Amino acid sequence: MKTQVAIVGGGPAGMLLSEMLHRAGVASVVLERSSEAHVLSRIRAGVLEQGTVDLLRSLGLGERMDREGHPHDGMQIVWAGRENFMIDVHAHLGKRFMAYGQTQIQEDLMAAARERGQVVLNEVDSVRLEDIESEHPHVLFRRDGEELRLDCDFIAGCDGFHGVSRKAIPPTVLREFEKVYPFGWLGILSRTPPLADIVYANNPRGFALASMRSPTLSRYYIQVPLETRVEDWPDDRFWDELKARFPADMAASIVTGPSIEKSIAPLRSYVAEPMRHGRLFLAGDAAHIVPPTGAKGLNLAVSDVFYLSRALADFYATGSTRLIDGYSAMALRRVWSSVRTSWYLTNLLHRFPDMSDFDQRAQEYELHYLQTSHHAQAALAEQYAGLPFEPPEAAAVPPR
Ligand code: APR
Ligand code: PHB
């Protein structure tokens, strides 16, 4: 088999890349380890930045999002015993967010791929990337017991954190930056009306978050110790603990119901640099992980893909390597901005098991400053909104 861009991984990053390349007249083949049903069964993030929303709309992929999603202006922070306050991104920047599930985006991307006849090979295994330092890389893989080979000009590693692409970069080249947090989030999805806003709660019992997927679908999380088991958290226990972490009036307006999904996710920050080696480019979770605080993961996958598709399209149109050479540095600027923001919000809102009295007071005064300072709120609003995508000229900034 032969194509221009081999895309390893058919999650949101891989499928969006194939869509954007197609529009630029660049052919691709997507290789996905799992079945379509499995990819669609994953409940993941659900808050889209304005830049993500605008991009999906510009691709004609916004119709269902605009029908079913829930636009909102920012986030509320509640802090035990104090008044709530709002980080109003719309007031500060004129930007909004959309609550719309990654699962739905994945469905929309797959429907669009089917319509244009995109080649997506599901249930491939033993994927190996070969000759990535040459001008003729190829991907070897197995499918239905058969050993296959895909020749290409470029490989896009969109295979998530546990994929194989990042591992194809020699350890002498790859630098890894990692932070593991000493707790996880226990999350549930329920078919109940959500609170009007996304609300982040800092409470002595631990962090809690009220979020949504649509006007009839709620998503809630509580901070839990790493060793927590889902089996120990029947719905009633979850709802009681969730409500105990919100102020009484808010707790009273949380509508409970049976969970339709319940899972625990550990929290981690991770960045791999560079995001390009030879003819291999990394995008999305393959290159970086953020803790969910701030909901930046999916939005970063989208900005990576925006930059990468523009760079590859420019290469095929003009023969210039300027944008592909600038890809890693440009993508990493936005990645580190969101990595820093999600790390800041994680530190601001959680109770750390080893927190000293000093740490606790410092956190309280950070919250106090944020609550009372217009400037602090404006700065957080700008970062929480996500930085604007950089124009192609910015590729002139020297690569890291
Ligand atoms: N070969 C082929 N496909 C693979 C391989 C492999 N060796 N390893 C993993 N994959 C597939 C996974 O099955 C998955 O479908 O790659 C895909 C990666 O998808 P995601 O993990 O969803 O990552 P990405 O597309 O970068 O999406 C961005 O942002 O909010 C976060 O975690 C959220 O998944 C979301 C991510
Ligand atoms: C979610 O809806 O899943 C969500 C919302 C906001 C976050 C994290 C996750 O910060």
Side-chain angles (χ1 to χ4, degrees), residues 351-365:
R351 297 292 161 133
F352 285 68
D354 57 354
M355 243 171 156
S356 66
D357 288 349
F358 176 91
D359 297 333
Q360 180 60 40
R361 274 284 185 273
Q363 191 194 61
E364 285 165 17
Y365 278 88

PDB file of all heavy atoms in Angstrom, residues 351-365:
ATOM      1  N   ARG A 351      -6.508  19.223  47.182  1.00  0.00           N
ATOM      2  CA  ARG A 351      -5.846  19.027  48.469  1.00  0.00           C
ATOM      3  C   ARG A 351      -4.778  17.966  48.256  1.00  0.00           C
ATOM      4  O   ARG A 351      -5.106  16.825  47.898  1.00  0.00           O
ATOM      5  CB  ARG A 351      -6.849  18.546  49.524  1.00  0.00           C
ATOM      6  CG  ARG A 351      -7.937  19.564  49.809  1.00  0.00           C
ATOM      7  CD  ARG A 351      -7.378  20.795  50.499  1.00  0.00           C
ATOM      8  NE  ARG A 351      -8.279  21.933  50.373  1.00  0.00           N
ATOM      9  CZ  ARG A 351      -8.622  22.724  51.378  1.00  0.00           C
ATOM     10  NH1 ARG A 351      -8.146  22.529  52.579  1.00  0.00           N
ATOM     11  NH2 ARG A 351      -9.437  23.736  51.174  1.00  0.00           N
ATOM     12  N   PHE A 352      -3.525  18.339  48.438  1.00  0.00           N
ATOM     13  CA  PHE A 352      -2.427  17.392  48.258  1.00  0.00           C
ATOM     14  C   PHE A 352      -2.188  16.660  49.575  1.00  0.00           C
ATOM     15  O   PHE A 352      -2.213  17.290  50.644  1.00  0.00           O
ATOM     16  CB  PHE A 352      -1.158  18.118  47.808  1.00  0.00           C
ATOM     17  CG  PHE A 352      -1.205  18.552  46.361  1.00  0.00           C
ATOM     18  CD1 PHE A 352      -2.076  19.546  45.943  1.00  0.00           C
ATOM     19  CD2 PHE A 352      -0.383  17.947  45.416  1.00  0.00           C
ATOM     20  CE1 PHE A 352      -2.143  19.937  44.609  1.00  0.00           C
ATOM     21  CE2 PHE A 352      -0.429  18.333  44.075  1.00  0.00           C
ATOM     22  CZ  PHE A 352      -1.314  19.329  43.674  1.00  0.00           C
ATOM     23  N   PRO A 353      -1.955  15.335  49.518  1.00  0.00           N
ATOM     24  CA  PRO A 353      -1.796  14.584  50.763  1.00  0.00           C
ATOM     25  C   PRO A 353      -0.637  15.090  51.631  1.00  0.00           C
ATOM     26  O   PRO A 353      -0.710  15.013  52.847  1.00  0.00           O
ATOM     27  CB  PRO A 353      -1.540  13.141  50.295  1.00  0.00           C
ATOM     28  CG  PRO A 353      -1.534  13.138  48.810  1.00  0.00           C
ATOM     29  CD  PRO A 353      -1.915  14.493  48.322  1.00  0.00           C
ATOM     30  N   ASP A 354       0.397  15.653  51.004  1.00  0.00           N
ATOM     31  CA  ASP A 354       1.553  16.070  51.806  1.00  0.00           C
ATOM     32  C   ASP A 354       1.593  17.588  52.027  1.00  0.00           C
ATOM     33  O   ASP A 354       2.637  18.163  52.315  1.00  0.00           O
ATOM     34  CB  ASP A 354       2.845  15.614  51.112  1.00  0.00           C
ATOM     35  CG  ASP A 354       2.935  16.179  49.692  1.00  0.00           C
ATOM     36  OD1 ASP A 354       1.952  16.812  49.245  1.00  0.00           O
ATOM     37  OD2 ASP A 354       3.982  15.990  49.038  1.00  0.00           O
ATOM     38  N   MET A 355       0.430  18.226  51.936  1.00  0.00           N
ATOM     39  CA  MET A 355       0.398  19.689  52.068  1.00  0.00           C
ATOM     40  C   MET A 355       0.738  20.130  53.495  1.00  0.00           C
ATOM     41  O   MET A 355       0.127  19.657  54.452  1.00  0.00           O
ATOM     42  CB  MET A 355      -1.020  20.161  51.767  1.00  0.00           C
ATOM     43  CG  MET A 355      -1.139  21.035  50.588  1.00  0.00           C
ATOM     44  SD  MET A 355      -2.886  21.286  50.221  1.00  0.00           S
ATOM     45  CE  MET A 355      -2.741  22.829  49.359  1.00  0.00           C
ATOM     46  N   SER A 356       1.674  21.053  53.631  1.00  0.00           N
ATOM     47  CA  SER A 356       1.978  21.598  54.958  1.00  0.00           C
ATOM     48  C   SER A 356       1.004  22.739  55.244  1.00  0.00           C
ATOM     49  O   SER A 356       0.286  23.202  54.348  1.00  0.00           O
ATOM     50  CB  SER A 356       3.414  22.119  54.973  1.00  0.00           C
ATOM     51  OG  SER A 356       3.505  23.220  54.086  1.00  0.00           O
ATOM     52  N   ASP A 357       1.009  23.226  56.491  1.00  0.00           N
ATOM     53  CA  ASP A 357       0.179  24.392  56.815  1.00  0.00           C
ATOM     54  C   ASP A 357       0.558  25.573  55.932  1.00  0.00           C
ATOM     55  O   ASP A 357      -0.285  26.342  55.504  1.00  0.00           O
ATOM     56  CB  ASP A 357       0.355  24.784  58.294  1.00  0.00           C
ATOM     57  CG  ASP A 357      -0.311  23.774  59.219  1.00  0.00           C
ATOM     58  OD1 ASP A 357      -1.070  22.918  58.709  1.00  0.00           O
ATOM     59  OD2 ASP A 357      -0.056  23.835  60.432  1.00  0.00           O
ATOM     60  N   PHE A 358       1.849  25.678  55.655  1.00  0.00           N
ATOM     61  CA  PHE A 358       2.316  26.767  54.787  1.00  0.00           C
ATOM     62  C   PHE A 358       1.692  26.651  53.397  1.00  0.00           C
ATOM     63  O   PHE A 358       1.157  27.615  52.845  1.00  0.00           O
ATOM     64  CB  PHE A 358       3.855  26.728  54.681  1.00  0.00           C
ATOM     65  CG  PHE A 358       4.382  27.770  53.728  1.00  0.00           C
ATOM     66  CD1 PHE A 358       4.727  29.034  54.188  1.00  0.00           C
ATOM     67  CD2 PHE A 358       4.498  27.493  52.370  1.00  0.00           C
ATOM     68  CE1 PHE A 358       5.175  30.010  53.311  1.00  0.00           C
ATOM     69  CE2 PHE A 358       4.940  28.467  51.480  1.00  0.00           C
ATOM     70  CZ  PHE A 358       5.290  29.722  51.956  1.00  0.00           C
ATOM     71  N   ASP A 359       1.773  25.434  52.833  1.00  0.00           N
ATOM     72  CA  ASP A 359       1.220  25.215  51.484  1.00  0.00           C
ATOM     73  C   ASP A 359      -0.269  25.556  51.459  1.00  0.00           C
ATOM     74  O   ASP A 359      -0.780  26.160  50.510  1.00  0.00           O
ATOM     75  CB  ASP A 359       1.381  23.749  51.060  1.00  0.00           C
ATOM     76  CG  ASP A 359       2.836  23.328  50.956  1.00  0.00           C
ATOM     77  OD1 ASP A 359       3.684  24.192  50.702  1.00  0.00           O
ATOM     78  OD2 ASP A 359       3.120  22.121  51.144  1.00  0.00           O
ATOM     79  N   GLN A 360      -0.954  25.138  52.516  1.00  0.00           N
ATOM     80  CA  GLN A 360      -2.399  25.354  52.594  1.00  0.00           C
ATOM     81  C   GLN A 360      -2.733  26.850  52.606  1.00  0.00           C
ATOM     82  O   GLN A 360      -3.581  27.320  51.863  1.00  0.00           O
ATOM     83  CB  GLN A 360      -2.925  24.658  53.864  1.00  0.00           C
ATOM     84  CG  GLN A 360      -4.410  24.799  54.095  1.00  0.00           C
ATOM     85  CD  GLN A 360      -5.228  24.220  52.943  1.00  0.00           C
ATOM     86  OE1 GLN A 360      -4.882  23.165  52.396  1.00  0.00           O
ATOM     87  NE2 GLN A 360      -6.276  24.928  52.545  1.00  0.00           N
ATOM     88  N   ARG A 361      -2.009  27.600  53.442  1.00  0.00           N
ATOM     89  CA  ARG A 361      -2.238  29.050  53.514  1.00  0.00           C
ATOM     90  C   ARG A 361      -1.909  29.705  52.166  1.00  0.00           C
ATOM     91  O   ARG A 361      -2.639  30.575  51.689  1.00  0.00           O
ATOM     92  CB  ARG A 361      -1.357  29.680  54.593  1.00  0.00           C
ATOM     93  CG  ARG A 361      -1.967  29.644  55.959  1.00  0.00           C
ATOM     94  CD  ARG A 361      -3.078  30.716  56.077  1.00  0.00           C
ATOM     95  NE  ARG A 361      -3.592  30.780  57.424  1.00  0.00           N
ATOM     96  CZ  ARG A 361      -4.574  30.024  57.905  1.00  0.00           C
ATOM     97  NH1 ARG A 361      -5.178  29.135  57.117  1.00  0.00           N
ATOM     98  NH2 ARG A 361      -4.966  30.137  59.147  1.00  0.00           N
ATOM     99  N   ALA A 362      -0.802  29.284  51.561  1.00  0.00           N
ATOM    100  CA  ALA A 362      -0.402  29.884  50.275  1.00  0.00           C
ATOM    101  C   ALA A 362      -1.502  29.637  49.238  1.00  0.00           C
ATOM    102  O   ALA A 362      -1.838  30.528  48.456  1.00  0.00           O
ATOM    103  CB  ALA A 362       0.926  29.305  49.808  1.00  0.00           C
ATOM    104  N   GLN A 363      -2.084  28.435  49.260  1.00  0.00           N
ATOM    105  CA  GLN A 363      -3.163  28.129  48.307  1.00  0.00           C
ATOM    106  C   GLN A 363      -4.384  29.018  48.581  1.00  0.00           C
ATOM    107  O   GLN A 363      -4.997  29.569  47.666  1.00  0.00           O
ATOM    108  CB  GLN A 363      -3.542  26.647  48.404  1.00  0.00           C
ATOM    109  CG  GLN A 363      -4.462  26.202  47.283  1.00  0.00           C
ATOM    110  CD  GLN A 363      -5.096  24.840  47.563  1.00  0.00           C
ATOM    111  OE1 GLN A 363      -5.812  24.669  48.543  1.00  0.00           O
ATOM    112  NE2 GLN A 363      -4.807  23.867  46.701  1.00  0.00           N
ATOM    113  N   GLU A 364      -4.718  29.178  49.874  1.00  0.00           N
ATOM    114  CA  GLU A 364      -5.871  30.012  50.233  1.00  0.00           C
ATOM    115  C   GLU A 364      -5.675  31.452  49.770  1.00  0.00           C
ATOM    116  O   GLU A 364      -6.597  32.081  49.244  1.00  0.00           O
ATOM    117  CB  GLU A 364      -6.094  29.998  51.756  1.00  0.00           C
ATOM    118  CG  GLU A 364      -6.702  28.704  52.248  1.00  0.00           C
ATOM    119  CD  GLU A 364      -6.583  28.548  53.762  1.00  0.00           C
ATOM    120  OE1 GLU A 364      -6.325  29.559  54.456  1.00  0.00           O
ATOM    121  OE2 GLU A 364      -6.732  27.401  54.241  1.00  0.00           O
ATOM    122  N   TYR A 365      -4.459  31.958  49.934  1.00  0.00           N
ATOM    123  CA  TYR A 365      -4.236  33.350  49.530  1.00  0.00           C
ATOM    124  C   TYR A 365      -4.135  33.506  48.017  1.00  0.00           C
ATOM    125  O   TYR A 365      -4.453  34.569  47.478  1.00  0.00           O
ATOM    126  CB  TYR A 365      -3.054  33.961  50.304  1.00  0.00           C
ATOM    127  CG  TYR A 365      -3.549  34.408  51.662  1.00  0.00           C
ATOM    128  CD1 TYR A 365      -3.553  33.531  52.746  1.00  0.00           C
ATOM    129  CD2 TYR A 365      -4.115  35.674  51.824  1.00  0.00           C
ATOM    130  CE1 TYR A 365      -4.079  33.916  53.969  1.00  0.00           C
ATOM    131  CE2 TYR A 365      -4.652  36.064  53.044  1.00  0.00           C
ATOM    132  CZ  TYR A 365      -4.623  35.187  54.122  1.00  0.00           C
ATOM    133  OH  TYR A 365      -5.167  35.573  55.307  1.00  0.00           O
TER     134      TYR A 365
END
